[in-house]
């Protein structure tokens, strides 16, 4: 049989009339006409066993035989399997040719396959391949073609059938139905209710089977990141999947099958508390922006009635077809038999490139698209070959120290038991990962990137939350708690969480603690039998808890306590003036910022316009008639008698040591004085003259046993 423009015709090539007459009908030789068939694959084989007469002839066991698989691009499911002899004349002579639907194909061993006829007398042909890789590639293509051939119902390719008129009538009716659907779509888009009802009634009278769904152009085509929580009966995890809002649930199932290996029949999606159906889009469930969440629940294979054979077949089909289309619904992946027709209750998945949309009278365009089909096959088949061909470099890899499984060199952990890769293992320099390993590495990098991005986002959110809380004077309690003082139950936000110790109290109790506290620092009131909190309330917390006048009194109380407890403090001599300071030895005058008076820190009085001697002389003169002056004079004498003050040895005014070492300087005559000896510090020659004065540190001896560094 060979294919001509009119169909399959019988003729024998390369055989005598006697030999041709001796062959059965389905064993006749054929030669395909150029431009009609597309050769999918061709391999050299040697026949090792055959019950067919021409293949029992001498020389049939040589490698001059060639198996060839071809298809008719204009007829879906039309495949031809031929056995050709290329020895002798230099031309390929077809020994036998079969319709792929009439044979059964079985793999006996890695290099030996068997072909048998489905119809009696069930003759068999066994042949050997040159290498295992070539045999497996051939088996993959033949098995996929067998499923495609059985999927499509065989049609009569001979002369015109009497039913052609009925077919033309059905075609015309289908054309009218499609035109009515187009008009209905336009009427709905235009808002023409009357026209839309007319077209809808027409379709209803025809009992037309329709599928109505919103147009994808109304949805945003921006890719978003969908957070998917995956759960099964024993575990759960979270992954991020890139999707489009107008994708249907069926397309999403197919995508998860390609990326993670979850078969569509075991997937159950829940989005927005709704169990998703395959026909609806993700946008209809509220998936429109990055970070939206979906839940994927995985059934067991037994519950989904999924067999291992069906899973393997669907994986091969998915690799052949590539990623699913986003604009068209994807049919479910269902298993089919390689040697028989598909079951009646479910439709199998397509395994070869789609049929060209050409009619029988456009032969030129058919021939023009043959190269496109061949390009599609050449693009798809290497991916399948890489996935299904056994790795010849399987010795490369590291054995798991726990389960002894041989892992790929680039895997960081065991694929079976997750044990870490040995630290001393070095990846071979010439190793190149296969397609599956490259995809795993890319997914691992993407997962690390997503983890780092999520961690950075969490860090920013925490920082923003801390900044927001830092801007608040009081931190409310985030959850219900009991006040540790009055034991009243506080709902969220009713209590105050102290910043330093995180103890929580009600506002009334904290306000009472502040008003009753006599210390400038209000301690945390938390106490129990074993622990007393040592932290204090912050100033802004106190300001937010008490009224403004009470807050001012708390500030004044703190200042008063600080003044009384601070060494070197001096209060302004002006009556009722609250000003005070902490002075140093080198400072003799305090300029009060409250009353603007100048306080002498030596005399401890205010004598503006006079020095200390003039003030003391004036004070002595006024002491006769002024009782206040007499009291001041008496106070100065008391200080001199008690040793807290002394007369300057040069000018005679009263000077007082405030603090520090025993070195003083008179504010009037600027004489340097030794406080412990009550005399001048130097001799008549001034500073550095040790012939007089206290002679401290001369011959390494102190001027007085109680001297505190007068020099």
């Amino acid at each position: 049989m060979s294919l001509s423009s009119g169909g399959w015709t019988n003729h024998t090539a390369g055989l005598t009339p006697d030999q041709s007459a001796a062959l059965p009908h389905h064993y006749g030789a054929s030669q395909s006409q150029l431009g009609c068939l597309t050769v999918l694959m061709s391999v050299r084989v040697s026949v090792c066993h055959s019950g067919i007469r021409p293949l029992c002839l001498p020389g049939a066991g040589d490698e001059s035989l060639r198996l060839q698989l071809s298809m008719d691009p204009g007829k879906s499911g039309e495949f031809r399997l031929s056995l050709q002899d290329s020895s002798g004349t230099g031309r390929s002579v077809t020994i036998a040719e079969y319709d792929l639907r009439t044979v059964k194909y079985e793999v006996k061993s890695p290099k030996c396959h068997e072909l048998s006829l489905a119809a009696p007398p069930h003759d068999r042909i066994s042949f050997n391949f040159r290498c295992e890789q070539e045999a497996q590639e051939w088996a993959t293509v033949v098995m996929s073609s067998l499923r495609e051939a059985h999927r499509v119902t065989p049609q009569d390719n001979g002369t015109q059938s009497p039913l052609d008129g009925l077919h033309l009538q059905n075609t015309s009716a289908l054309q009218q139905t499609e035109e009515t659907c187009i008009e209905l779509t336009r009427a709905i888009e235009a808002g023409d209710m009357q026209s839309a009802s007319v077209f809808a009634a027409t379709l209803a009278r025809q009992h037309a089977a329709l599928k109505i769904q919103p147009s994808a152009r109304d949805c945003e085509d921006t890719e978003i990141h969908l957070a998917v929580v995956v759960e099964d009966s024993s575990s759960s995890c979270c992954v991020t999947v890139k999707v489009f809002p107008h994708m249907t649930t069926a397309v999403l199932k197919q995508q998860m099958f390609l990326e993670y290996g979850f078969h569509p029949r075991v997937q159950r999606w829940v989005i927005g508390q709704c169990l998703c159906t395959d026909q609806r889009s993700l946008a209809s469930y509220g998936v429109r922006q990055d970070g939206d969440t979906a839940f994927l629940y995985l059934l067991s294979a037994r519950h989904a009635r999924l067999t291992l054979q069906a899973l393997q077949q669907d994986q091969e089909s998915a690799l052949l077809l590539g990623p699913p289309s986003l604009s068209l619904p994807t049919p479910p992946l269902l298993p089919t038999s390689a040697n028989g027709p598909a079951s009646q209750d479910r439709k199998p998945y397509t395994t070869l490139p789609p049929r060209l949309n050409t009619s029988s009278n456009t032969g030129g365009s058919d021939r023009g698209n043959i190269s496109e089909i061949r390009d599609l096959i050449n693009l798809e088949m290497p991916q399948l070959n890489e996935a299904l061909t056994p790795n010849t470099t399987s010795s490369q890899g590291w054995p798991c120290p726990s389960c002894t499984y041989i892992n790929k060199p680039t895997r960081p952990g065991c694929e079976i038991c997750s044990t870490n890769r040995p630290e001393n293992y070095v990846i071979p320099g010439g190793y190149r990962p296969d397609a599956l390993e490259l995809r795993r590495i890319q997914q691992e990098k993407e997962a690390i990137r997503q983890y780092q991005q999520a961690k950075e986002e969490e860090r920013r959110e925490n920082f923003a939350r801390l900044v927001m809380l830092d801007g608040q004077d009081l931190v409310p309690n985030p959850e219900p708690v009991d006040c540790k003082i009055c034991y009243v139950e506080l709902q969220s936000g009713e209590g105050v969480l102290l910043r330093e110790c995180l103890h929580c109290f009600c506002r009334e109790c904290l306000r009472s603690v502040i008003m009753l506290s006599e210390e400038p620092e209000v301690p945390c009131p938390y106490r129990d039998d074993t622990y007393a909190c040592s932290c204090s309330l912050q100033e802004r917390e106190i300001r937010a808890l008490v009224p403004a006048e009470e807050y001012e009194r708390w500030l004044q109380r703190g200042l008063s306590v600080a003044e009384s407890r601070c060494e070197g403090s001096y209060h302004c001599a002006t009556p009722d003036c609250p000003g005070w300071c902490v002075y140093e030895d080198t400072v003799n005058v305090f300029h009060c910022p409250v009353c603007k008076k100048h306080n002498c820190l030596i005399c401890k009085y205010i004598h503006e316009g006079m020095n200390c001697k003039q003030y003391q002389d004036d004070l002595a003169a006024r002491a006769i008639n002024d009782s206040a002056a007499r009291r001041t004079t008496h106070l100065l004498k008391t200080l001199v008698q008690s040793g807290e003050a002394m007369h300057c040895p040069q000018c005679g005014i009263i000077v007082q040591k405030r603090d520090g070492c025993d070195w003083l300087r008179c504010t009037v005559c600027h004489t340097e004085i030794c406080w412990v000896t009550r005399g001048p510090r130097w001799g008549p020659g001034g500073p550095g003259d040790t012939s007089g004065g206290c002679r401290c540190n001369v011959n390494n001896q102190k001027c007085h046993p109680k001297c505190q560094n007068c020099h």
Side-chain angles (χ1 to χ4, degrees):
M1 300 286 289
S2 64
L3 182 63
S4 65
S5 59
W8 296 98
T9 59
N10 287 320
H11 72 278
T12 57
L15 297 176
T16 63
D18 296 336
Q19 293 173 337
S20 177
L23 292 177
H25 174 70
H26 54 276
Y27 295 151
S30 71
Q31 183 178 1
S32 301
Q33 301 293 330
L34 294 176
C36 295
L37 292 180
T38 300
V39 177
L40 299 180
M41 192 171 184
S42 180
V43 294
R44 288 188 179 275
V45 296
S46 60
V47 177
C48 59
H49 173 74
S50 174
I52 303 176
R53 185 168 178 263
L55 301 180
C56 298
L57 299 177
D62 299 336
E63 291 189 357
S64 60
L65 299 179
R66 179 178 292 274
L67 275 175
Q68 180 173 295
L69 180 65
S70 56
M71 67 172 289
D72 185 357
K75 297 180 181 180
S76 179
E78 193 70 39
F79 295 90
R80 310 296 294 183
L81 181 62
S82 60
L83 186 62
Q84 300 180 356
D85 183 8
S86 59
S87 62
T89 61
R91 296 179 58 199
S92 296
V93 179
T94 301
I95 300 176
E97 189 173 51
Y98 310 97
D99 187 343
L100 203 57
R101 288 187 289 263
T102 64
V103 300
K104 294 183 179 180
Y105 197 87
E106 185 177 0
V107 177
K108 292 296 186 180
S109 66
K111 295 178 64 176
C112 180
H113 296 181
E114 184 180 85
L115 182 145
S116 60
L117 301 182
H122 305 293
D123 293 331
R124 300 177 181 272
I125 307 175
S126 299
F127 36 82
N128 291 330
F129 292 84
R130 293 181 294 178
C131 63
E132 294 183 6
Q133 181 177 359
E134 191 175 59
Q136 187 166 7
E137 292 177 358
W138 170 261
T140 301
V141 177
V142 171
M143 292 298 183
S144 299
S145 303
L146 271 171
R147 288 192 292 271
E148 180 68 13
H150 288 299
R151 186 186 67 84
V152 179
T153 304
Q155 299 178 356
D156 187 9
N157 296 324
T159 59
Q160 183 174 2
S161 172
L163 299 178
D164 287 346
L166 180 59
H167 293 167
L168 293 176
Q169 182 179 0
N170 293 338
T171 302
S172 177
L174 179 60
Q175 182 178 3
Q176 293 178 0
T177 302
E178 291 181 352
E179 291 177 355
T180 306
C181 292
I182 294 174
E183 295 298 331
L184 175 60
T185 302
R186 294 175 180 173
I188 293 176
E189 291 179 353
D192 189 351
M193 299 176 59
Q194 183 177 1
S195 299
S197 61
V198 172
F199 293 127
T202 302
L203 293 173
R205 286 193 296 269
Q206 297 176 0
H207 299 280
L210 303 178
K211 180 179 181 181
I212 301 176
Q213 62 181 11
S215 175
R217 66 185 181 186
D218 295 334
C219 303
E220 297 182 0
D221 57 353
T222 305
E223 191 176 42
I224 63 175
H225 294 80
L226 179 65
V228 180
V229 180
V230 185
E231 295 186 6
D232 60 7
S233 60
S234 60
S235 60
S236 64
C237 66
C238 185
V239 297
T240 301
V241 182
K242 295 181 179 180
V243 299
F244 291 89
H246 63 268
M247 286 175 53
T248 61
T249 308
V251 177
L252 179 59
K253 289 183 177 181
Q254 178 67 5
Q255 180 177 342
M256 294 297 292
F257 183 41
L258 290 174
E259 294 183 1
Y260 296 98
F262 303 138
H263 197 280
R265 288 165 58 183
V266 304
Q267 299 182 35
R268 295 296 183 270
W269 287 87
V270 176
I271 304 177
Q273 298 182 354
C274 296
L275 183 61
C276 303
T277 58
D278 290 347
Q279 292 77 16
R280 287 183 56 180
S281 64
L282 301 182
S284 66
Y285 292 107
V287 177
R288 297 184 179 272
Q289 60 184 359
D290 287 336
D292 287 343
T293 305
F295 295 89
L296 172 58
Y297 297 93
L298 302 177
L299 305 179
S300 63
R302 183 175 63 179
H303 188 273
R305 297 180 180 178
L306 178 65
T307 62
L308 180 60
Q309 181 182 4
L311 177 62
Q312 293 175 350
Q313 291 178 357
D314 291 342
Q315 286 177 342
E316 296 176 9
S317 303
L319 288 174
L320 279 172
L321 288 177
S325 173
L326 299 182
S327 59
L328 295 176
T330 304
L333 292 178
L334 295 177
T336 60
S337 174
N339 297 327
S343 60
Q344 299 298 328
D345 58 341
R346 55 191 183 185
K347 184 177 179 181
Y349 203 71
T350 304
T351 58
L352 286 179
R355 176 183 176 183
L356 297 178
N357 296 325
T358 55
S359 60
S360 58
N361 56 0
T362 57
S365 61
D366 288 345
R367 289 189 294 271
N369 290 328
I370 291 176
S371 60
E372 298 180 4
I373 298 176
R374 183 178 294 110
D375 293 340
L376 286 173
I377 297 173
N378 292 336
L379 285 175
E380 298 294 342
M381 290 310 299
Q383 300 177 3
L384 182 61
N385 293 337
E386 291 181 5
L388 299 180
T389 301
N391 189 5
T392 56
T393 60
S394 59
S395 59
Q396 290 185 350
W398 56 274
C400 176
S402 298
C403 64
T404 69
Y405 179 76
I406 303 298
N407 295 273
K408 296 179 180 179
T410 52
R411 283 197 66 89
C414 179
E415 187 176 359
I416 304 300
C417 64
S418 301
T419 302
N420 291 332
R421 183 176 60 192
E423 296 181 357
N424 57 356
Y425 178 77
V426 179
I427 300 176
Y431 173 73
R432 291 186 178 181
D434 54 15
L436 295 178
E437 184 66 8
L438 286 176
R439 175 179 293 182
R440 187 199 63 78
I441 295 174
Q442 292 175 357
Q443 291 177 349
E444 181 178 353
K445 292 181 179 179
E446 178 65 17
I448 294 175
R449 187 193 65 80
Q450 293 177 4
Y451 168 76
Q452 293 176 348
Q453 181 180 358
K455 188 175 181 180
E456 180 66 18
E457 291 178 357
E458 182 181 4
R459 188 187 67 82
R460 292 180 180 178
E461 291 177 0
N462 292 338
F463 178 76
R465 190 180 299 108
L466 289 176
V467 170
M468 181 186 66
L469 291 176
D470 188 69
Q472 301 176 359
D473 291 335
L474 297 177
V475 179
N477 57 311
E479 56 186 14
V481 68
D482 292 341
C483 176
K484 300 301 180 181
I485 298 178
C486 62
Y487 297 101
V488 174
E489 183 178 359
L490 304 174
Q491 299 299 325
S492 299
E494 294 181 355
V496 177
L497 196 67
L498 300 183
R499 296 178 183 272
E500 291 191 5
C501 57
L502 302 181
H503 290 138
C504 186
F505 306 92
C506 65
R507 295 172 181 264
E508 291 74 12
C509 291
L510 287 177
R511 188 177 297 112
S512 300
V513 170
I514 296 171
M515 297 176 66
L516 296 176
S517 176
E518 297 180 357
E519 298 293 330
E521 290 188 358
V522 181
C524 172
Y526 182 83
R527 300 287 188 278
D528 59 18
D529 296 338
T530 59
Y531 171 74
C533 184
S534 60
C535 298
S536 302
L537 275 71
Q538 294 186 2
E539 184 268 338
R540 57 176 173 175
E541 294 175 336
I542 297 175
R543 183 177 65 248
L545 286 169
V546 299
E549 58 275 10
E550 184 63 31
Y551 175 70
E552 290 297 330
R553 284 195 295 269
W554 175 79
L555 289 178
Q556 293 300 327
R557 183 168 65 249
L559 288 174
S560 300
V561 173
E563 179 184 0
S564 63
R565 295 180 180 178
C566 181
E567 294 185 6
S569 64
Y570 173 77
H571 199 95
C572 180
T574 303
D576 299 329
C577 179
W580 64 283
C581 71
V582 177
Y583 58 85
E584 297 179 355
D585 292 343
T586 58
V587 179
N588 295 324
V589 179
F590 164 51
H591 302 280
C592 180
V594 181
C595 64
K596 309 300 181 183
K597 298 293 183 177
H598 297 279
N599 292 260
C600 178
L601 298 179
I602 297 176
C603 301
K604 301 295 190 297
Y605 284 98
I606 300 174
H607 50 81
E608 295 178 342
M610 295 184 293
N611 56 27
C612 294
K613 180 175 178 56
Q614 294 172 348
Y615 170 71
Q616 293 177 12
D617 293 342
D618 179 71
L619 187 64
R622 287 187 293 110
I624 300 174
N625 300 321
D626 190 352
S627 60
R630 284 196 300 271
R631 288 194 299 271
T632 303
T633 302
H634 178 72
L635 175 63
L636 292 176
K637 289 181 179 179
T638 303
L639 291 176
V640 173
Q641 293 175 359
S642 64
E644 297 181 17
M646 64 171 287
H647 291 280
C648 175
Q650 184 68 26
C651 64
I653 70 166
I654 298 176
V655 296
Q656 185 180 12
K657 173 189 171 184
R658 296 188 301 271
D659 201 1
C661 63
D662 290 335
W663 176 87
L664 285 81
R665 183 191 295 275
C666 179
T667 59
V668 178
C669 63
H670 302 291
T671 299
E672 296 186 18
I673 303 171
C674 177
W675 173 262
V676 70
T677 61
R678 296 294 197 271
R681 187 183 180 198
W682 304 106
D689 183 8
T690 58
S691 62
C694 67
R695 296 177 57 82
C696 190
N697 287 334
V698 176
N699 297 326
N700 294 326
Q701 293 183 358
K702 293 288 184 180
C703 62
H704 192 273
K706 296 182 179 181
C707 177
Q708 296 182 5
N709 299 324
C710 66
H711 277 61

